[in-house]
Amino acid sequence: DEKIIIVSDDSKIRITTVDQFGKQSVKVGGVSLAQRLNKNCDYVIFMNSKGAYHLIKISDIPELGRSASGVMIDFNDDVKNVEMVQIERDSDEMLICSVIDTSDGSTYVMKGEQSLLEDTNRVNKPKKLFELDNNFKVTNVNKIDISDKNMKNLLIGKNNTTTLANLTVRLSDMGKVPKKVSTDTVGIVSYNL
């Protein structure tokens, strides 16, 4: 009964059950993103490199077979650079976005609080979470649970890592002023020693 959320290269989204694929290799078409459906989450965020997002109820994404193309979603012609994260709405989960300044290669993290997110309709233009200059691009979106202020988060990049404490995230105003970090984050591991 496991399910997967799939985003195709032609800006279509769908949910498919794992048993649709079987054990042999099958042609699925151009896939940009695929994630196992988290049964504890009720929304999914799709964000492009310009900081524009769609926040869609998972129950509004159709469940289709492996050969079905899915339903269109507007990514402002930036479908190749879309990130996806599933969240539990109105929880202590917060978005952490990795941002790179393409002019000098500096990397930053910015937080996106759930209170700033608005539900969107997949056929309308996406909303903006951040107003980014042309030099800045969102390279990754993750989520952290900030309910425990003593937790720390290891931001893992391709070549190095950095640590960000939950207390720093809770008290900072990173939504307006980016926090410079030493890594272009590709994943986050939260821990409490």
Side-chain angles (χ1 to χ4, degrees):
D1 62 347
E2 294 291 344
K3 297 178 181 178
I4 305 169
I5 300 176
I6 294 176
V7 181
S8 67
D9 287 342
D10 58 354
S11 303
K12 292 181 180 173
I13 57 173
R14 70 182 189 273
I15 293 175
T16 302
T17 56
V18 170
D19 65 3
Q20 288 285 319
F21 297 99
K23 294 180 180 172
Q24 73 282 359
S25 174
V26 294
K27 184 173 176 173
V28 295
V31 173
S32 292
L33 287 169
Q35 251 182 38
R36 178 182 175 195
L37 186 64
N38 184 336
K39 294 175 183 171
N40 297 319
C41 296
D42 51 356
Y43 278 80
V44 62
I45 296 167
F46 302 97
M47 183 179 292
N48 68 16
S49 65
K50 298 174 178 117
Y53 72 90
H54 276 292
L55 175 65
I56 298 174
K57 272 188 178 177
I58 290 175
S59 59
D60 289 342
I61 302 173
E63 187 173 319
L64 303 166
R66 75 165 187 257
S67 59
S69 61
V71 293
M72 284 296 286
I73 185 168
D74 188 338
F75 289 119
N76 275 355
D77 300 321
D78 196 19
V79 70
K80 299 288 187 196
N81 299 299
V82 170
E83 296 288 331
M84 169 173 48
V85 63
Q86 299 169 63
I87 64 166
E88 180 185 351
R89 194 74 160 125
D90 301 320
S91 69
D92 287 317
E93 292 177 339
M94 181 175 291
L95 296 183
I96 292 291
C97 302
S98 176
V99 179
I100 190 164
D101 183 348
T102 57
S103 66
D104 65 6
S106 296
T107 55
Y108 301 85
V109 291
M110 298 177 74
K111 72 177 179 181
E113 302 199 36
Q114 284 208 37
S115 60
L116 301 175
L117 297 170
E118 300 176 44
D119 288 24
T120 62
N121 182 317
R122 62 181 174 77
V123 296
N124 292 338
K125 294 286 182 195
K127 306 263 185 196
K128 279 279 205 174
L129 183 58
F130 305 118
E131 287 300 328
L132 298 174
D133 294 338
N134 287 336
N135 288 345
F136 288 86
K137 303 245 179 265
V138 175
T139 58
N140 188 271
V141 180
N142 277 279
K143 67 180 178 184
I144 59 172
D145 185 333
I146 60 162
S147 57
D148 184 348
K149 66 182 180 197
N150 296 316
M151 291 282 284
K152 292 187 177 176
N153 305 281
L154 184 63
L155 280 59
I156 302 170
K158 292 178 182 173
N159 301 308
N160 49 21
T161 63
T162 192
T163 302
L164 187 64
N166 266 3
L167 190 60
T168 303
V169 177
R170 289 162 62 110
L171 299 178
S172 69
D173 191 14
M174 287 190 291
K176 294 178 185 168
V177 181
K179 176 178 175 56
K180 194 167 185 178
V181 293
S182 59
T183 183
D184 184 9
T185 307
V186 295
I188 296 178
V189 175
S190 297
Y191 65 94
N192 197 341
L193 297 179

